Amino acid sequence: MSFSVRHVRALRRLRAPAAVLLAGALMAGCSTFSDEGRSQYERSQGEQPAATGTAEPTESAKPEPPYDVRPLLEPKKKYLGLAADGAPAKMTSVEDFARRAGKKPNLMEFYSAWGDQYEQRLVQNSWDYAAVAFIAWEPFKTGMKDIASGKEDAYIHEYAKSVKELNLPVAISFAHEMNGFWYPWGTKKTTAAEFTAAYKHIHDIFDDEGATQVIWVWSPNVTHPMPKVKLKPYWPGDDYVDWVGVIGYYGATGPSTYQTLYGPTMTEIRAFTKKPFIIAETAAQAGEGKPADIKSLFQGTAERDDVIGFVWFNFDKETDWRINSGPLSEKTFREQAANPDFGFDVTKP
């Protein structure tokens, strides 16, 4: 299994035997800690060794090691992911999706604005449901230059400390669809060099804090709306990315097969990295073609060993993307989701 050199370096650093290193790493405080997270943090500390130092510490006195995300990076089966209204703060929409799909999702995407605290409760809710949380971190209120120059470092450090303190796996996609023009961090206001500098700066701070629980996702939009924008200049490098999170939807017009929708983008990306793909956002527009689109998505993903799953955007927004926008769509989704290649226990990958 391949994994980031970054994970190995950081995990080795955290496992250093020096007591000072452990104490410094584990006792960092943070204003964003929830009561639940603080309780978990304190439990992870265990009883402190006797002051005399003559007694060997008991097993319970050893702090928990950082959660090792490596088994989640390239699982043997596919992720069946979901983004749904109100989730994972509330799980009603998730449970409805699971009932209709005939299978529980094991990857839970939600959106967080730059400046928000790390939402430990939502990550915990996802994990309690047996799903990995997947955060789309959206820098609406700051520019890439400010992030890269260090102006946002206090916030990034605080966020990273909170990730480490909760000690659960989480996928983070920073500034998704950066190759498009519709977001303030997109091509109209941000250069590729500014984007990569900001991305790498954030990643480096997480490493400095020992927040190795993160699965780093780099999420370009499929290229057909802006074919002249090349992706390689936006690539931070293999040491900075765990998943390539391609974003692309089946619409009423435009590409209508797996190959035409995702193929050109994946081919371009394969020229500079072998990191696994995950389709970080997708759905199909309501209409007569939706059942065929759903079938295309499942079968196309199943046929590619380098695509580890997808996240279905189950919202009625602009159009009805939900799997139950029509009875045949729901039936098709349920039939395709029955494929045993989709879904696995993320707590025992």
Side-chain angles (χ1 to χ4, degrees):
M1 179 185 299
S2 64
F3 49 85
S4 294
V5 175
R6 179 266 306 180
H7 283 116
V8 177
R9 288 201 305 263
L11 283 168
R12 284 175 179 168
R13 182 167 67 249
L14 286 170
R15 290 169 182 158
V20 173
L21 180 61
L22 278 172
L26 293 170
M27 294 303 291
C30 178
S31 64
T32 64
F33 291 159
S34 66
D35 291 338
E36 180 181 5
R38 171 57 67 184
S39 176
Q40 289 184 353
Y41 173 72
E42 291 172 350
R43 287 198 302 272
S44 76
Q45 302 294 300
E47 295 295 328
Q48 294 298 319
T52 61
T54 56
E56 289 292 324
T58 64
E59 190 67 26
S60 62
K62 297 178 182 178
E64 294 179 8
Y67 194 100
D68 187 355
V69 300
R70 289 175 294 176
L72 295 167
L73 300 184
E74 297 184 55
K76 294 179 180 179
K77 293 189 176 184
K78 313 283 187 179
Y79 286 96
L80 180 63
L82 175 68
D85 190 22
K90 296 182 179 179
M91 303 301 285
T92 305
S93 60
V94 179
E95 291 164 354
D96 179 70
F97 173 90
R99 178 177 58 82
R100 296 178 184 277
K103 188 172 286 184
K104 291 176 61 174
N106 61 353
L107 188 64
M108 197 79 60
E109 185 168 12
F110 61 94
Y111 302 84
S112 186
W114 188 264
D116 289 351
Q117 68 179 32
Y118 179 61
E119 296 173 281
Q120 292 185 339
R121 181 175 65 88
L122 305 191
V123 176
Q124 184 71 57
N125 284 357
S126 299
W127 191 248
D128 290 345
Y129 187 79
V132 175
F134 182 176
I135 300 174
W137 202 5
E138 302 177 314
F140 280 106
K141 295 183 179 180
T142 191
M144 299 297 105
K145 288 182 179 179
D146 284 348
I147 294 173
S149 69
K151 291 183 179 180
E152 299 289 320
D153 280 8
Y155 167 61
I156 302 167
H157 277 283
E158 183 180 37
Y159 199 100
K161 287 176 182 177
S162 195
V163 169
K164 178 185 174 183
E165 181 255 358
L166 184 60
N167 199 22
L168 287 176
V170 59
I172 296 180
S173 173
F174 170 71
H176 59 287
E177 302 173 51
M178 77 299 289
N179 59 321
F181 54 83
W182 42 87
Y183 285 124
W185 57 84
T187 55
K188 284 189 175 180
K189 295 184 178 180
T190 303
T191 67
E194 290 166 350
F195 166 80
T196 56
Y199 185 109
K200 292 166 75 172
H201 186 72
I202 293 167
H203 189 294
D204 288 344
I205 288 177
F206 274 67
D207 272 3
D208 290 345
E209 291 292 347
T212 60
Q213 297 84 352
V214 177
I215 299 169
W216 291 95
V217 191
W218 178 74
S219 300
N221 197 81
V222 290
T223 57
H224 73 265
M226 50 281 170
K228 295 183 179 180
V229 180
K230 300 303 178 184
L231 293 175
K232 187 174 182 180
Y234 288 89
W235 179 244
D238 278 11
D239 284 352
Y240 288 88
V241 178
D242 298 306
W243 291 346
V244 175
V246 176
I247 295 172
Y249 289 74
Y250 290 84
T253 60
S256 59
T257 67
Y258 196 89
Q259 176 57 32
T260 56
L261 180 57
Y262 301 113
T265 306
M266 291 181 174
T267 298
E268 183 177 343
I269 291 169
R270 276 292 168 260
F272 54 83
T273 185
K274 300 299 182 185
K275 291 291 182 174
F277 291 115
I278 188 160
I279 299 175
E281 273 187 36
T282 190
Q285 189 169 347
E288 293 182 1
K290 186 166 185 172
D293 294 338
I294 291 170
K295 188 175 181 180
S296 169
L297 174 65
F298 272 97
Q299 295 189 357
T301 299
E303 289 169 1
R304 290 193 59 144
D305 291 339
D306 61 344
V307 181
I308 60 172
F310 64 81
V311 178
W312 184 271
F313 186 82
N314 205 52
F315 287 82
D316 185 359
K317 180 182 178 183
E318 290 109 16
T319 186
D320 194 347
W321 302 107
R322 297 174 300 173
I323 63 172
N324 57 311
S325 60
L328 186 55
S329 295
E330 182 176 334
K331 178 176 181 290
T332 302
F333 197 100
R334 187 181 186 90
E335 290 172 348
Q336 295 298 312
N339 183 337
D341 287 344
F342 287 89
F344 62 93
D345 186 351
V346 297
T347 67
K348 300 174 183 179

